[in-house]
Amino acid sequence: VKAIAVPSTPSAPAVSISGANLVIDWNAPYSGGNGVSISEYAVLLYISSSWTEFKNLCDGASSSVKSATQCTFALNQLSLNYGDSIKAKVKANNERGWGTESSENSSPPTMQKPPITLSSLTKSSGTESQSVLTWTTPTVASETGGSAITGYNLQYQLSGTWTDLIADSLVTTYTHTGLNSGTAYEYRYRAKNVHGWSSYTTATLTACSAPSKPSAITSIVAVNDGDIQITWANPTNIGGTSLTITSYELQVKHDNGVYADASSYCQEGSLTLRQCTITKANLVTNYVLAVGDLVIAKVRAKNSKNLWSEWSDANTQGARIPDVPAKMATPVVTDAGLKLRITWTEPNFNYAPITAYKISIWNNDAGPAAWAIDTTNCDGTNAQVISNKYCEVPIATPLIATYGYTAGNNIKVKVEAQNGLGWGTASDDCTTGAVITKVPEKPANVPTKVAAKTSGTTIVIDITALTGANAGNSAITQYNVKYVKDSDAAVLMTTQGLSTEITLTGATLGSSYTFTYAGVNVHGEGTYSDASASIKAVELPAAPTALSCAYDSTVNIKFSWTAATDGSGTLSANKIYIKDINGNYVLADTLGAVTEKIIPMTTLAAAPYSLSTVGETVYFKLQASNELEYGPLTAATSCGGSVTMKTVPSTPTIAPTITSSSETSISVSYTAITSTGGSAITAYVLQKATGNGEFENLADSMLTSQTLSSGIVSGQTYKFRYAAKNALGTSGNSPEVTIKAIIVPSTPSAPAVSTSDGSVIVDWTAPYSGGTGISITQYQILFYIGGSWVEKSFCDGTNMNAISETKCTFLMNQLTLSYGADIKAKIKAKNEKGWSIESSENSPPPIMQTPPITLSSLARGTGTSESQIHLTWTTPIVAAETGGSFVTGYNLQYQLSGTWTNAFQDALTNTYTVTGLSSGQDYQFKYRAKNIHGWGSFSSAQTFTACQAPSKPATVVFTVVASNANVELSWSAPSSIGGSGLTISAYQIVIKNNQALFQSLTSTLCSEGNFNLRKCTLTQAQLTSTFGLTTGKKVYAQVRAQNSKSMWSEYSDVNTQEVKIAAVPLKPNVAPYKTAGTSTSITLNWNTLPAYRNGGVTIDKYKLEISTDGSSYSTIYDAMGTSYQKTGLTTGTKYYFRYFSHNCLGYSASSSPVITYYAADVPATILTAAMSMAYAGSKTKDVEMSWTAPATQGSAISEYKVKVKISTGDFMDVTQECEEYEESLTELKCTIPMKNLWASPFLLTTPGVPIEFKVQAKNGIGWGTLSSAKSGVNLQTKPQKPTSTPTNDAASTTFEQIKVDWTAISASPANGDSAVTQYVLSVGSLLNVYQGSATTHTMTSGLTPGHDYQFRYAAENKYGVGEFSDAITIQCPTTSPTQPSAPTTVRDGENIKVCWNAPSSTGGASIVEYQVEFLDYSDSTYKSHSTNCVEPDINSRCCSIPETTVKSFFNLATNNEVKARITAINEDGHESNPSDPTTSGVRVNQQFPLLTYLFMQKLSIQKK
């Protein structure tokens, strides 16, 4: 014998589909021994419910297969249905024998086939000599066979011979030409994929065309009191020679927008005579048309070949549904002088002209009262009254004399209208509006003065308007006003009209006037009002003049002025206003008739003026009054630069800073004061206080820091503050700072840490305390615990003993440290100034130790029986368990009745047997361990029993019940129960489930028997549902027993007896399929259920069911067959079909999926006449495509598809774009933003080109034919790039501005086929320098002379800004340099040196020359010298001239100041203005005092 084994079990193979082939790949298993080879593989496939080897497909003995561990063969060689899972296993053979089969491949691929189901072959269009054939590419895997379609074969026959039209091509349309008119041709086509050709699908189609589309309805007119007559014309083309028009179909548009048949409602005329009259009642009832709706109709024709034309275009004009006039609005009654006018609004006449009105007036005098018609004044049949829509009734007669109305009454009136269809509904009664009128009443109010407008010789009064009853219920036509001057006679003023503000001009100053007034209406003048209060003519005073201000002492400002003229009155007061910090003028004071006011500057600095800024200018205004009112304010007056706000320095807000301190010195710094109060700081005053003593001034100095070392005593407390001085005084004192002359304690040395008898001792040496009389107040002892230095309460550095002894002792177990951790400590000390630096840590640190910590659980040993318990445990060896010291002994205890007894006291062992125990009794055990540090804690108590498990039961026995295929399990009791006095308390049955795992069986599942009887019967359904066992699977079981001490025996051996699962058939996984169908019938076929799905029992019949709602089904077939024809279907109804298979155990579940069938056809093609396109959306920036729903052909339309022509000329589906725009295509429209058409995939970029689209509809049957292309709007884009650049308007361009012009863009395509709304101009990187409709712009800001600027422009329309033009470069012209600053002069030996700064701007060109001029004292003019400073260095900007030359040439006397000025000249020849002359310059021949000379000599010597 050779020492080898069979090959090991291979891993599951990998199964994949590659093109038309199936590839099975696996890894070679262990061969079974050294030098042993795999001699053969067996590849098993799951076919027809069993695993079978197909050597003809995959020969595992082939050397190529063995070496590659892979085999490949054509997929169509497998006898599997489409969609079946392709499962494989592999096993290997060597000279010893076959190994075990592998598990099957996971995620198996599904079977693919040639194409299965094809769409119908249809004729989408055609003529008498050609037919355009179309079909749809299947995309669903169940139709394609699981693989993409790669080609089609199309054939036709006329006389029995099939001829190829398309041999093999991937197209879905074909135009068959050269046909005989009216001849029927038979066609068929098939499809292929990588797996081969499908079966053929056939259709018979005729070569002819439908009649041409009739022209639009020729006329729609109203006849016979509302009936509508519709007339149309023949189509121009009948569809072919010898054909005739056999009928017409007329449709009228329903109120819901859908066209519906109207042929059956024709009351007069004949469809064949192309005329139809429909009653108004039919139009209202059947089409829900309302009054005023336009009657819209369309017509189509059918020829003798039963081909219908397209529908004609719908009419856009014609008759509308008429009716009697609508109810009139309530008439309005208005005042017409001596008459009342009754006015009404023409009602909705409902498409029949108004022929008359009836105007009814209520007669109060009729007995009883009744409506009257005044045919004299209000004849509603009069053409003028009908046209005017009003009439006028005299108030006197008939309203008062005949109808009994009195003054103030409203009249009651109503109106109704008549047209050719009769009288409409009368208006509601009018009982409001104008009333019976009379002369005005006496006004209740007297005239009042308008003070704001009354001044001098002009008096303005206000009167109260008269309305309603006060006006006599009639419109006031004017007001009459009278006045009385002093005691003169009343004077009637000129007519004032309707104004309620009356102005009297030319009044005499000082005189008094009273006024009265009355109203006038059509009936005459009313009664005058009572007289007004007396009004005197007085003028306001003028404003004060000559305003000025000056300092009054150093703290006040005096404001002065000249008194105002009194306006012929007496001046009584002045108001002075001061401008506050916010720019508002605030009333400062109200004075008598004075001419000056003194205000302290402290007042002005405070609220409400808040003029607290030093040097701030004060502004004020004045206003004078007389007995009438205050006159005008003066203009604002400034106190000028000579009178401004001054203060002492601001109080320092920041305390001095102690920059350093020690026991003998303190350094103090403070912040320089910037708020000087308008006067320079002359000194800072530093003050010091010792302890709580008084502050003393240390020094006045301009220094801002001082170090004090004299008089500083160690341990003493000091306070510091400071103030600032200027010429006006001393500021307030700053906040104080306090410091003690000490230092923090010195750094302690590292502590010493030791352990003794379970304690830790930390010892250290006290550091220097930090100053005289200063004590250490606290220590902080830090321990390194948990990764950080922390302070612990058991070592308290505030404890006086610890402070005095500099030592801390505590128990080691108070440290929360694990065994082995270093015990580390640091020390730092604190005095009243603060903490010292931490010491370094102790070295070397002691190590943490503990008693034993962790023990293992006790375990039941193999020596346990009914009289003894054998226990074992594990000796801890890890330091974290032992506490850092070896275990030196154990103590084991047990108890039975509450008292713990030592099994042993102290022994170093890890196993022990306690004997002499009672059978079946429970005992508790615990143990502990010790080391040199003592005993650890006891382990948790555990319970053990003195007993043993039952013996292993015998194998389970199976019995299959023949009548119902149930499975009965039975077993025997174990031979040993585990001890005397014990019983078997339970059995546990486990059954191997579909995962090859043993799964527990509960007794409740037993349909018969129970575990106590050691018998259990299971149904097939239970084995399937609970354990997942499927048809053909073997049933394996084991049993074990438990005694009354809860001890389980071993499981019995697995049964070798073979029992398999049977079941009802699996549900069919393929729906019934249609082999033929009409609008009233369908023929269905279904597949025979394969053996592996029959549940293990032969199928004996099939059941077919039908439903119209997909939930309620009825049986139509129940027999052994695979085909059935169902007739009597209702056209347009959706049906559902499903089927079941049956064996002796019952029916399977229904097939899934079900098949649905519509007794209908695909929707009609949408006509271009029913399609439209328009601009839409915000600012019409979207394209809206809309259409009218086509005929549904018996099945409701569920979906539309819209295609738009893209740049390649193809039409692309845009349905998703429409839906992304939040618009459903079922609304019969699709809106796409115009900008989307510019981008991929449309790439439409040429403005003005028509946009084209097509649309098709889908119903429950499928997709209708795609419509012809329709256009309606052109592509619009942003404007294109201008072809020209902007141009420079040189005549208008200067160094301060650049003017550019550009060409307007108005034509397409340059404007993007959309009107330009504005232009955008950019300059360099500055965008949108200009935006507007003009074509010119002048740039005036941001220019630098001599710089180049690039200008470009772009046009903007509603879609945005287009591409910018190319740029033009324009240089900003240069100009003169700016005025240089005044030069300086210094003495340079015997010369005078003049220096200056360059001008701030060169004017856009480089400075090439400076001209230096000196003041000639003889004539006060500036001149240059012919030799000196003529061509100065333009870089150093300095030149020198001998002092003697200056003095002689420019006529300077001794001590005259040398004054010079500079002019800059740039390279373009532009000169600047001369600079200001030198100030505080050198004076000629100036002598120094002797003391100054000697001091300068000393400095020179020191420098040397």
Side-chain angles (χ1 to χ4, degrees):
V1 67
K2 184 181 284 187
I4 63 174
V6 297
S8 62
T9 304
S11 57
V15 181
S16 60
I17 296 174
S18 176
N21 294 327
L22 183 71
V23 180
I24 304 174
D25 202 345
W26 63 91
N27 294 323
Y30 173 61
S31 64
N34 291 331
V36 177
S37 300
I38 301 296
S39 59
E40 184 180 358
Y41 288 102
V43 179
L44 307 176
L45 296 170
Y46 192 72
I47 307 292
S48 300
S49 303
S50 62
W51 291 94
T52 307
E53 181 180 10
F54 292 88
K55 274 187 171 292
N56 60 321
L57 303 180
C58 188
D59 184 4
S62 164
S63 59
S64 59
V65 171
K66 288 192 294 181
S67 62
T69 61
Q70 181 189 83
C71 66
T72 303
F73 54 88
L75 188 61
N76 59 17
Q77 293 180 271
L78 289 179
S79 55
L80 292 174
N81 295 323
Y82 164 74
D84 287 349
S85 296
I86 304 175
K87 303 177 183 178
K89 294 182 180 179
V90 179
K91 63 180 179 179
N93 189 22
N94 63 10
E95 57 190 276
R96 178 73 180 269
W98 285 98
T100 307
E101 295 174 0
S102 71
S103 57
E104 65 187 55
N105 53 300
S106 60
S107 302
T110 56
M111 184 64 182
Q112 297 179 358
K113 305 288 280 183
I116 300 167
T117 305
L118 300 181
S119 66
S120 299
L121 186 64
T122 61
K123 176 180 175 181
S124 62
S125 62
T127 66
E128 297 173 68
S129 60
Q130 68 177 31
S131 293
V132 179
L133 309 175
T134 60
W135 55 94
T136 303
T137 296
T139 56
V140 181
S142 61
E143 298 173 349
T144 65
S147 179
I149 302 298
T150 59
Y152 294 99
N153 168 221
L154 175 66
Q155 297 181 337
Y156 81 100
Q157 72 165 358
L158 182 59
S159 56
T161 301
W162 289 99
T163 303
D164 277 346
L165 294 175
I166 299 174
D168 185 359
S169 178
L170 191 60
V171 296
T172 57
T173 183
Y174 181 80
T175 302
H176 191 192
T177 60
L179 307 180
N180 298 324
S181 176
T183 302
Y185 291 83
E186 192 173 6
Y187 297 90
R188 69 180 185 182
Y189 85 108
R190 60 179 178 169
K192 74 169 185 178
N193 59 16
V194 294
H195 306 294
W197 288 100
S198 70
S199 57
Y200 280 102
T201 293
T202 61
T204 300
L205 304 169
T206 303
C208 62
S209 65
S212 61
K213 170 181 167 182
S215 58
I217 300 295
T218 56
S219 72
I220 298 182
V221 295
V223 298
N224 300 332
D225 298 330
D227 294 347
I228 303 297
Q229 186 181 83
I230 304 171
T231 307
W232 61 92
N234 265 328
T236 57
N237 181 8
I238 298 175
T241 57
S242 74
L243 299 185
T244 59
I245 297 298
T246 57
S247 65
Y248 289 96
E249 185 178 359
L250 177 69
Q251 289 188 342
V252 171
K253 190 175 185 180
H254 192 279
D255 176 66
N256 62 11
V258 176
Y259 284 88
D261 181 64
S263 306
S264 60
Y265 301 118
C266 295
Q267 301 298 311
E268 298 176 12
S270 168
L271 291 176
T272 56
L273 297 178
R274 301 182 301 285
Q275 189 177 87
C276 173
T277 300
I278 307 175
T279 66
K280 173 185 172 183
N282 274 330
L283 291 170
V284 171
T285 302
N286 298 301
Y287 300 94
V288 198
L289 296 182
V291 173
D293 284 351
L294 177 67
V295 180
I296 301 174
K298 61 183 181 178
V299 67
R300 65 174 180 167
K302 183 171 76 172
N303 62 19
S304 49
K305 287 296 184 181
N306 292 321
L307 294 176
W308 284 100
S309 70
E310 293 182 58
W311 287 99
S312 69
D313 293 336
N315 58 293
T316 57
Q317 297 179 338
R320 296 180 182 270
I321 304 297
D323 201 356
V324 297
K327 178 181 177 180
M328 293 191 63
T330 305
V332 176
V333 179
T334 57
D335 189 355
L338 299 178
K339 298 180 180 180
L340 292 183
R341 175 176 289 184
I342 303 169
T343 306
W344 57 90
T345 303
E346 182 180 71
N348 181 352
F349 54 81
N350 289 329
Y351 306 97
I354 300 297
T355 58
Y357 290 104
K358 185 190 298 180
I359 305 96
S360 302
I361 302 173
W362 187 254
N363 184 351
N364 285 324
D365 282 347
W371 289 102
I373 298 176
D374 182 4
T375 56
T376 302
N377 300 294
C378 288
D379 182 4
T381 63
N382 181 278
Q384 191 65 41
V385 172
I386 295 172
S387 173
N388 291 342
K389 293 182 285 296
Y390 71 84
C391 63
E392 294 179 344
V393 184
I395 293 175
T397 302
L399 294 178
I400 294 176
T402 305
Y403 298 145
Y405 289 100
T406 61
N409 286 163
N410 287 105
I411 68 169
K412 182 176 177 182
V413 64
K414 65 181 179 180
V415 183
E416 57 188 305
Q418 182 188 47
N419 65 11
L421 279 74
W423 285 99
T425 304
S427 70
D428 293 334
D429 298 345
C430 173
T431 58
T432 60
V435 297
I436 305 301
T437 58
K438 64 176 184 177
V439 296
E441 300 283 349
K442 175 183 177 180
N445 299 318
V446 299
T448 57
K449 181 179 75 171
V450 181
K453 297 183 179 180
T454 296
S455 178
T457 60
T458 299
I459 298 176
V460 181
I461 63 169
D462 186 38
I463 62 174
T464 303
L466 300 179
T467 59
N470 290 330
N473 295 306
S474 180
I476 296 296
T477 57
Q478 70 175 47
Y479 293 101
N480 291 341
V481 181
K482 295 179 181 180
Y483 69 85
V484 175
K485 174 185 174 184
D486 295 329
S487 57
D488 295 346
V491 177
L492 177 65
M493 297 179 65
T494 57
T495 300
Q496 298 299 307
L498 292 173
S499 175
T500 58
E501 186 174 275
I502 313 299
T503 302
L504 173 65
T505 58
T508 303
L509 290 175
S511 293
S512 296
Y513 293 81
T514 59
F515 296 86
T516 185
Y517 78 103
V520 180
N521 64 14
V522 293
H523 299 286
E525 181 183 71
T527 304
Y528 276 86
S529 69
D530 293 334
S532 69
S534 178
I535 302 171
K536 188 177 181 179
V538 180
E539 287 185 335
L540 293 174
T545 58
L547 279 66
S548 65
C549 49
Y551 285 121
D552 182 69
S553 76
T554 60
V555 295
N556 301 326
I557 296 178
K558 181 170 73 175
F559 300 89
S560 305
W561 60 89
T562 299
T565 59
D566 58 13
S568 299
T570 302
L571 294 177
S572 58
N574 290 285
K575 288 183 178 179
I576 182 168
Y577 299 85
I578 305 296
K579 185 178 180 181
D580 68 11
I581 191 66
N582 297 316
N584 302 315
Y585 281 87
V586 178
L587 178 63
D589 201 356
T590 300
L591 312 168
V594 299
T595 57
E596 67 178 26
K597 170 68 177 177
I598 296 174
I599 301 177
M601 278 190 278
T602 55
T603 300
L604 297 176
Y609 315 103
S610 303
L611 302 178
S612 58
T613 303
V614 175
E616 187 166 6
T617 302
V618 180
Y619 294 85
F620 71 104
K621 293 181 180 181
L622 288 168
Q623 185 181 28
S625 71
N626 59 15
E627 63 269 24
L628 178 63
E629 187 55 84
Y630 276 95
L633 280 167
T634 65
T637 299
S638 165
C639 286
S642 61
V643 180
T644 58
M645 297 295 294
K646 297 180 181 179
T647 65
V648 298
S650 298
T651 299
T653 59
I654 302 174
T657 301
I658 305 300
T659 56
S660 65
S661 67
S662 67
E663 297 177 81
T664 58
S665 68
I666 300 173
S667 294
V668 185
S669 68
Y670 33 92
T671 303
I673 301 302
T674 57
S675 298
T676 64
S679 179
I681 300 297
T682 58
Y684 292 100
V685 180
L686 180 65
Q687 298 178 336
K688 181 186 78 171
T690 302
N692 293 321
E694 297 294 327
F695 278 95
E696 59 178 324
N697 291 343
L698 296 181
D700 285 2
S701 169
M702 287 301 291
L703 299 175
T704 57
S705 64
Q706 295 189 43
T707 298
L708 307 176
S709 56
S710 175
I712 301 301
V713 178
S714 175
Q716 181 62 55
T717 299
Y718 299 94
K719 291 188 287 187
F720 295 91
R721 69 185 184 190
Y722 78 104
K725 285 184 178 180
N726 66 7
L728 300 177
T730 304
S731 72
N733 292 315
S734 72
E736 302 171 1
V737 64
T738 301
I739 185 69
K740 183 176 281 189
I742 62 174
I743 60 174
V744 298
S746 62
T747 304
S749 57
V753 181
S754 59
T755 61
S756 175
D757 297 327
S759 296
V760 178
I761 302 100
V762 182
D763 204 343
W764 64 92
T765 302
Y768 174 61
S769 65
T772 302
I774 302 302
S775 301
I776 301 295
T777 59
Q778 182 180 348
Y779 288 101
Q780 190 176 49
I781 302 93
L782 302 173
F783 297 94
Y784 191 73
I785 297 175
S788 61
W789 291 92
V790 296
E791 186 176 9
K792 289 295 184 178
S793 60
F794 50 73
C795 194
D796 184 6
T798 64
N799 183 281
M800 295 307 298
N801 290 332
I803 295 173
S804 61
E805 296 176 7
T806 63
K807 182 168 72 173
C808 171
T809 302
F810 55 91
L811 294 175
M812 184 185 291
N813 59 17
Q814 290 182 274
L815 284 174
T816 54
L817 292 174
S818 301
Y819 167 76
D822 290 340
I823 303 175
K824 301 178 183 179
K826 291 183 180 180
I827 304 295
K828 62 179 181 178
K830 182 181 181 182
N831 64 12
E832 59 187 275
K833 184 164 186 177
W835 286 99
S836 72
I837 299 172
E838 293 176 359
S839 73
S840 57
E841 64 186 55
N842 56 299
S843 178
I847 302 301
M848 187 73 182
Q849 294 183 354
T850 66
I853 302 165
T854 305
L855 299 178
S856 65
S857 297
L858 294 169
R860 181 188 183 96
T862 57
T864 300
S865 68
E866 297 178 64
S867 59
Q868 64 183 29
I869 296 177
H870 175 213
L871 298 175
T872 63
W873 57 93
T874 303
T875 298
I877 57 174
V878 179
E881 298 173 345
T882 66
S885 179
F886 291 112
V887 172
T888 59
Y890 295 99
N891 170 212
L892 176 65
Q893 296 182 348
Y894 71 97
Q895 71 165 358
L896 177 61
S897 55
T899 301
W900 288 97
T901 303
N902 283 327
F904 65 87
Q905 176 62 37
D906 187 358
L908 190 59
T909 179
N910 58 2
T911 180
Y912 189 79
T913 300
V914 180
T915 61
L917 304 180
S918 301
S919 175
Q921 185 64 56
D922 292 335
Y923 294 89
Q924 283 190 311
F925 292 86
K926 64 181 182 180
Y927 80 112
R928 60 179 177 169
K930 73 172 184 178
N931 62 13
I932 59 172
H933 300 289
W935 287 100
S937 301
F938 273 103
S939 66
S940 298
Q942 295 174 257
T943 300
F944 298 93
T945 304
C947 65
Q948 58 191 27
S951 60
K952 175 179 172 181
T955 304
V956 175
V957 176
F958 287 89
T959 302
V960 178
V961 180
S963 61
N964 53 18
N966 289 347
V967 177
E968 181 183 275
L969 293 74
S970 61
W971 61 94
S972 301
S975 58
S976 171
I977 298 175
S980 60
L982 301 184
T983 60
I984 296 298
S985 59
Y987 290 98
Q988 184 177 22
I989 308 295
V990 291
I991 296 177
K992 184 181 284 188
N993 62 19
N994 61 333
Q995 302 296 321
L997 301 174
F998 279 97
Q999 177 180 331
S1000 181
L1001 169 67
T1002 61
S1003 61
T1004 56
L1005 290 177
C1006 299
S1007 61
E1008 296 179 13
N1010 58 62
F1011 285 6
N1012 291 333
L1013 299 175
R1014 299 188 300 282
K1015 183 180 291 186
C1016 177
T1017 299
L1018 298 175
T1019 64
Q1020 299 280 342
Q1022 289 172 321
L1023 289 169
T1024 299
S1025 62
T1026 304
F1027 301 98
L1029 300 178
T1030 57
T1031 302
K1033 289 289 185 181
K1034 294 180 181 179
V1035 183
Y1036 297 100
Q1038 289 178 294
V1039 65
R1040 67 172 179 168
Q1042 185 188 52
N1043 61 22
S1044 51
K1045 287 298 182 179
S1046 300
M1047 304 289 290
W1048 284 102
S1049 70
E1050 295 180 59
Y1051 276 105
S1052 67
D1053 294 332
V1054 177
N1055 58 291
T1056 58
Q1057 178 187 6
E1058 186 173 287
V1059 178
K1060 292 187 177 180
I1061 299 296
V1064 296
L1066 297 176
K1067 71 177 182 179
N1069 60 357
V1070 178
Y1073 55 92
K1074 181 187 74 172
T1075 55
T1078 68
S1079 61
T1080 60
S1081 69
I1082 183 174
T1083 300
L1084 295 171
N1085 284 61
W1086 53 90
N1087 296 332
T1088 302
L1089 202 67
Y1092 72 89
R1093 301 183 67 85
N1094 66 7
V1097 183
T1098 303
I1099 300 297
D1100 54 17
K1101 63 178 178 178
Y1102 295 95
K1103 178 171 67 173
L1104 182 66
E1105 292 184 343
I1106 186 172
S1107 172
T1108 56
D1109 59 7
S1111 60
S1112 298
Y1113 284 87
S1114 60
T1115 301
I1116 57 175
Y1117 178 82
D1118 192 5
M1120 188 58 189
T1122 58
S1123 178
Y1124 180 74
Q1125 182 183 36
K1126 171 61 178 174
T1127 59
L1129 302 180
T1130 302
T1131 301
T1133 301
K1134 181 179 180 181
Y1135 292 91
Y1136 302 82
F1137 296 91
R1138 65 184 185 184
Y1139 79 106
F1140 305 77
S1141 58
H1142 184 272
N1143 65 14
C1144 66
L1145 293 178
Y1147 284 103
S1148 69
S1150 67
S1151 58
S1152 177
V1154 299
I1155 181 174
T1156 59
Y1157 178 69
Y1158 289 88
D1161 201 355
V1162 297
T1165 303
I1166 299 172
L1167 304 179
T1168 54
M1171 299 161 58
S1172 64
M1173 178 184 288
Y1175 299 118
S1178 173
K1179 299 184 180 178
T1180 64
K1181 294 192 289 187
D1182 303 333
V1183 178
E1184 180 182 276
M1185 296 160 283
S1186 59
W1187 57 91
T1188 301
T1192 62
Q1193 305 288 56
S1195 176
I1197 292 175
S1198 59
E1199 189 176 347
Y1200 288 95
K1201 185 182 295 181
V1202 179
K1203 294 187 176 183
V1204 172
K1205 189 175 183 179
I1206 63 176
S1207 59
T1208 61
D1210 298 322
F1211 281 82
M1212 192 197 79
D1213 186 356
V1214 296
T1215 304
Q1216 183 177 357
E1217 283 79 358
C1218 297
E1219 292 172 350
E1220 286 177 353
Y1221 203 61
E1222 299 182 354
E1223 186 170 67
S1224 170
L1225 299 190
T1226 56
E1227 297 176 7
L1228 304 180
K1229 64 179 180 179
C1230 165
T1231 303
I1232 301 179
M1234 181 72 76
K1235 65 180 181 180
N1236 287 11
L1237 300 176
W1238 311 335
S1240 177
F1242 303 99
L1243 300 177
L1244 300 178
T1245 57
T1246 306
V1249 173
I1251 301 170
E1252 298 180 60
F1253 80 104
K1254 296 180 179 181
V1255 65
Q1256 66 184 133
K1258 181 183 181 183
N1259 62 12
I1261 304 304
W1263 285 102
T1265 305
L1266 193 65
S1267 72
S1268 299
K1270 177 73 174 183
S1271 62
V1273 299
N1274 294 339
L1275 181 73
Q1276 295 182 337
T1277 66
K1278 294 179 182 178
Q1280 296 180 334
K1281 177 180 178 180
T1283 56
S1284 61
T1285 64
T1287 58
N1288 180 20
D1289 185 349
S1292 301
T1293 297
T1294 68
F1295 72 92
E1296 295 178 314
Q1297 66 179 35
I1298 297 177
K1299 184 178 181 183
V1300 293
D1301 303 317
W1302 56 88
T1303 304
I1305 297 174
S1306 59
S1308 182
N1311 65 357
D1313 204 52
S1314 178
V1316 171
T1317 57
Q1318 65 176 5
Y1319 297 94
V1320 179
L1321 182 69
S1322 71
V1323 180
S1325 61
L1326 297 176
L1327 299 177
N1328 304 340
V1329 170
Y1330 168 77
Q1331 288 179 288
S1333 58
T1335 57
T1336 183
H1337 177 67
T1338 301
M1339 182 176 178
T1340 58
S1341 61
L1343 295 174
T1344 301
H1347 280 217
D1348 289 339
Y1349 296 90
Q1350 288 190 321
F1351 291 82
R1352 356 172 249 161
Y1353 81 102
E1356 181 177 355
N1357 61 16
K1358 63 185 178 183
Y1359 297 105
V1361 179
E1363 185 179 355
F1364 277 88
S1365 68
D1366 293 334
I1368 180 176
T1369 301
I1370 302 174
Q1371 185 183 63
C1372 182
T1374 59
T1375 185
S1376 300
T1378 55
Q1379 180 187 31
S1381 59
T1384 61
T1385 56
V1386 296
R1387 194 179 305 279
D1388 185 13
E1390 295 181 351
N1391 295 327
I1392 302 299
K1393 186 175 183 179
V1394 184
C1395 294
W1396 59 93
N1397 293 323
S1400 60
S1401 171
T1402 66
S1406 300
I1407 300 297
V1408 296
E1409 180 183 351
Y1410 289 102
Q1411 180 178 327
V1412 184
E1413 297 176 302
F1414 297 89
L1415 177 64
D1416 188 331
Y1417 275 76
S1418 65
D1419 57 6
S1420 298
T1421 62
Y1422 280 88
K1423 302 174 183 176
S1424 59
H1425 191 268
S1426 58
T1427 303
N1428 301 108
C1429 282
V1430 176
E1431 296 183 359
D1433 186 342
I1434 64 171
N1435 295 317
S1436 66
R1437 293 184 297 281
C1438 288
C1439 71
S1440 295
I1441 185 171
E1443 183 175 359
T1444 56
T1445 301
V1446 172
K1447 183 176 180 181
S1448 62
F1449 189 82
F1450 298 105
N1451 303 299
L1452 272 69
T1454 299
N1455 212 35
N1456 280 158
E1457 182 181 357
V1458 179
K1459 289 186 175 291
R1461 69 180 187 183
I1462 308 298
T1463 301
I1465 305 169
N1466 64 23
E1467 61 184 344
D1468 286 347
H1470 298 297
E1471 294 187 7
S1472 71
N1473 291 327
S1475 70
D1476 292 334
T1478 306
T1479 59
S1480 303
V1482 173
R1483 297 182 181 273
V1484 296
N1485 295 335
Q1486 190 174 32
Q1487 300 298 315
F1488 292 96
L1490 177 60
L1491 181 60
T1492 303
Y1493 172 77
L1494 293 175
F1495 178 68
M1496 294 298 291
Q1497 290 297 314
K1498 180 179 179 182
L1499 290 178
S1500 176
I1501 292 170
Q1502 288 175 337
K1503 181 177 180 182
K1504 292 178 181 179

